[in-house]
Every structure is written in structure tokens, then in C-alpha cells.
Amino acid sequence: MHNVCAIFRREFASYFATPLAFVFIIIFLLLVGVFAFYVGGFYERGQADLAPFFNYHPWLYLFLIPALSMRLWAEERKSGTIELLMTLPVTVWQAVLGKFLAAWCFAGVALVLTFPMWITVNYLGDPDNGAIFAAYIGSFLTAGGMLAIGACLSAATRNQVIAFILAAVVCFGFLLSGYPLVLNAFRIWAPQAVVDAIASLSFLTHFQSISKGVIDLRDLLYFGIVIATWLIANVIVIEMKKAD
Amino acid sequence: MIEISHLTKRYGALTAVDDISFNVEPGQVLGFLGPNGAGKSTTMKMITGFLSPTSGTVRVCGHDVEREPLAAKACMGYLPEGAPSYPEMTVRAYLEFIANVRGLSGARRRERLDDVITRLALKGVLEQVIETLSKGFRRRVGLAQALLHDPKVLILDEPTDGLDPNQKHEVRKLISSMSKDKIIVISTHILEEVDAVCNRAIIIAGGKLLADDTPQALASRSPSGRLDDVFRQITTGVQPTHEKEAAHA
Ligand SMILES: Nc1ncnc2c1ncn2[C@@H]1O[C@H](COP(=O)(O)OP(=O)(O)OP(=O)(O)O)[C@@H](O)[C@H]1O
Ligand SMILES: [Mg+2]
């Protein structure tokens, strides 16, 4: 456990050692605001809730999360520090977990910094704060799922650009599979069970169900399984190709 | 104790390390010699558990590196080739991180940190970001990292590459001063270094072990008594006398 902790602390601090943390947080906050106010019509709807704010989170994450995850392992490969890390007395699991948790916590910090939105709606009206809390959880879990995907794909290459593109594409697939457009295309020829299965694979389906304000055990389980699966894949990728 | 038996590593058709066996006992400082691409770094990567051998086994301090990697890694300090380290960290933060992972705490932690910082003269750069250090200082940070937990076994891949003459001298002195009860394996291209610090030398080329002897005994194999000539003779098969003639012609 102290190894996970040591790696977590090193990784988390490394976000702040470069301009990455500040650039990421500022861009995230800017985009979140732009989408909520201009695209989502936060004021025009005349409702005191944060739906227009949360609705765009998965789409923002689609390219912001790969930007966070791409460096996790690709950078270690590129700079050769993976040789250092893997010859220290830590297991691959501890390293994978420490890195993932650091990136997830960092995403959490960016998310927490959107609290002025929450203050604003409470100032303007009387929103359902329980639902807002649930939506924050849903958003955080979606970020976690995408980070697990990104971390695993980052382990597969030494090139951060490739890691970014791979992660964005796979996350896009995981989002799109819940989009009505895609589901309708399947609905024409596939049985309902298949359509449901595809929809149930999507971040979007589970994110939206949590954002409605009910934290269902099945949704939590879904995110738990997605994160665990990709982290296991991450460990396997590292063990299979530590050196090249 | 390091026990290496029938160690082989293949990359596709290329056999980088070819059926190498040898043991190293405490008190030995083993110089690992060979031309570029001989397989020195590959062997060291297998000893430290970074690479899995294609076949053969490595045991360090009685632990099989493949089966009990954590126990084996805990008793080793390793300076990888090129001394990779996290560029965005300060020297202090980096050494603190290594101390955390090595499980050092309390008074011993402070004592060990002070010791490596003094030995490798890092006091002046502690707060400097590693990225901005000169190559020699980066190498010293890498050495400090390897020595931090005072390991029984030290594997150093080209430890003096990029150091100035004074620091080369210091590092050699450091290695000699630690050699009494440790196992130290260093790879190097500087043959005088082998004379200066090693009490055993292994020459490999093309992944094969070609010679294993004391530096003095090796040197005496050549009429000139120089290790350089023996090295060239063993690794290329060319008699040094012929070379001299070729150079004159
Ligand atoms: N990942 C890899 N894939 C394919 N071949 C590799 C790989 N790593 C090393 N090799 C090959 O293995 C051989 C041994 O390399 P190694 O790095 O062990 O040499 P070395 O003795 O350390 O050389 P140097 O003195 O230049 O450091 C070389 O021919 C090298 O090209
Ligand atoms: Mg080498």
C-alpha cells in the first residue's frame, strides 16, 4: 500500500510540476462554461438546474481525458524511466493503480473547481442539490472510466500522440454506443436485446441515468467493472511489453 | 550472491545474450566488458528483473528474479544505462520518492539521504529540477538513487559515462570503498577503470561469454600487458601486433 501511495504522490505532483495542470484546468473550466451558457442555454431555459452544464461533460472528456492519460505510461517508456520504476520493489499492479488514482484525483480537482456553477444556480433559484451531487458523481465516474481506457492505451505505446488518438477513439466508441443515432441504426436490423446490450456498454447511458439524480447500484457496478477491466488490461500490457 | 545460469535472450532472430552462466560473490567488483551491442545492458536488465530471459535463470541474494521479483529487487540497486530519472522533479523530491518506494523511514531514512547526498556531492543541486542538470550531475543523481537503500548488490550500467575526471575519480573511489561486503557489477568501456576498481572482469561479445578472469591475469595474456590489446584480441580475433603493422603501413 505504501508503494501505491508513493507512486500516487509522485504522479499527482508531476501534473503540477509542469504547466499541464494549469492549462488543463483553465481549458476545462472555460469549455464547461462556454458549453453550459452558450450551447446549453443555461439562462434561456429558465430552470434552476445544472443539466445544460453536465450534459456536455462526456463530450468534453472525450478529448480532455486522453490529454491527461496519454502521458501516464508513454512518457515513462519514452524517457526510459519505466526501467527504473519496474526495477524498484513495486509490483505492476501498484504502479498501475497509483498512476490511475493520481490522474483520477486530478480530474476530480478540475471537477470540484466548477463549484461556482453550483453556487450560481443556488443563487438564482432552488435546484435539487441531491440531483446535482449525483450528477457530479456520474461525471467523476465517467472521467474514471475514460482514464482507465486512456491509461491502458498509453501503456501500449511510447508515443503520446498515438496514445491520445487511440484513447479518444476508444472513448468515442464507448460514448457513441449509447447515442440514439447509433442505436437506431442497430434497431433496424438487430434484436432489442442486442440494442440494449450495446446501449448498456455506453458511458452515456449510465452517466445520464445517474445524472437524473438516482445513484443506481447497477450504474456504479458498470463503472466499477469498466475501470477494473481496463486496469487489468493495463497490467497485462505492461507485463507483456515492459521493455519495448 | 548472484547466480546466473544458462541465461539467454533472443529478439526475434537476434540472440542478444547467448547461454551465459557465472556467479558473483560478495567482495567482488565485476567489470562487464564488451563492444557495443555485445549484450551487456541486456544481461543487466535480466539480472535486475526488467527483462524476462528467453531461457535460463538469475538468482540474486537467493531469490529467483522471475519468481520472487520483489525480494530480489529489494536487495539490488540499479543504475540503468543512460541514468533515466523523472525530468520534472527536483533532485530532493526524486530521492524522497525513491526513499518512499524503498520503504526507508525515520532516522535511517535521514541518514541514508544525507549519506548519498554527501557521497555524490549533490548538496548544491538539491532544489534543482533534474531536467536542468548537466549530464554528469544526472548520472550522479542516478547513482545516488541506486545507493540510497545501501543494497547488497549494485548493478551499474556505465556509471562513469559523462563524468568529469574528478568525478570519475570520486565515483571509482566510492565503488572501491563499498566493495568490501557488496557485490558490484559495472559495465564500462573505459578499460583503465577496470584496472582501477575491478577485481574480476568478464568480456562478452555477440552475447557470448569470452573471458572471465582478474584484470591482471587478462592483461598478461597480451605480450604488451595492456588490457586494451587483450580486449581487442578477444573481441575481434585480431592480433594486436598485426594491427600495429597495419597502422604503420
Ligand atoms: N528491444 C530490442 N529489440 C531488438 N533488439 C534489441 C533490443 N534491445 C537490444 N537489442 C539488441 O541486443 C543487442 C545487445 O544490446 P545491449 O544493449 O545489451 O548491448 P550493450 O552491450 O549494452 O552495448 P553498448 O556498449 O552499446 O551499451 C544489440 O544488438 C541490440 O541491438
Ligand atoms: Mg549498454
Side-chain angles (χ1 to χ4, degrees), chain A residues 102-175:
Chain A
W104 202 12
C105 263
F106 180 75
V109 169
L111 195 57
V112 166
L113 287 177
T114 62
F115 70 92
M117 291 295 298
W118 173 71
I119 293 176
T120 308
V121 279
N122 272 282
Y123 176 74
L124 291 176
D126 185 20
D128 178 353
N129 278 320
I132 290 177
F133 179 70
Y136 265 114
I137 298 283
S139 177
F140 185 56
L141 289 171
T142 308
M146 289 188 176
L147 275 173
I149 293 175
C152 174
L153 295 170
S154 162
T157 172
R158 60 169 60 223
N159 184 320
Q160 297 200 28
V161 177
I162 294 176
F164 177 91
I165 292 171
L166 284 179
V169 167
V170 175
C171 289
F172 190 51
F174 265 76
L175 272 187

Side-chain angles (χ1 to χ4, degrees), chain B residues 105-158:
Chain B
S105 61
R108 177 164 160 76
R109 177 193 179 101
R110 242 167 296 129
E111 178 199 317
R112 288 306 308 152
L113 281 168
D114 284 347
D115 182 54
V116 295
I117 289 166
T118 330
R119 277 178 188 247
L120 290 147
L122 293 174
K123 202 152 227 131
V125 298
L126 274 182
E127 307 306 331
Q128 205 173 328
V129 175
I130 292 176
E131 204 166 23
T132 66
L133 291 177
S134 70
K135 178 175 157 192
F137 265 102
R138 255 179 265 170
R139 181 82 32 161
R140 274 143 73 176
V141 172
L143 272 166
Q145 168 275 125
L147 296 176
L148 189 57
H149 59 302
D150 195 20
K152 286 207 194 70
V153 176
L154 266 173
I155 312 287
L156 308 174
D157 201 344
E158 303 192 18

Side-chain angles (χ1 to χ4, degrees), chain B residues 160-180:
Chain B
T160 56
D161 182 35
L163 298 185
D164 67 48
N166 297 339
Q167 277 302 321
K168 273 202 181 99
H169 179 72
E170 288 300 319
V171 168
R172 283 174 200 164
K173 233 169 58 185
L174 177 66
I175 292 174
S176 299
S177 74
M178 293 184 307
S179 64
K180 211 183 306 144

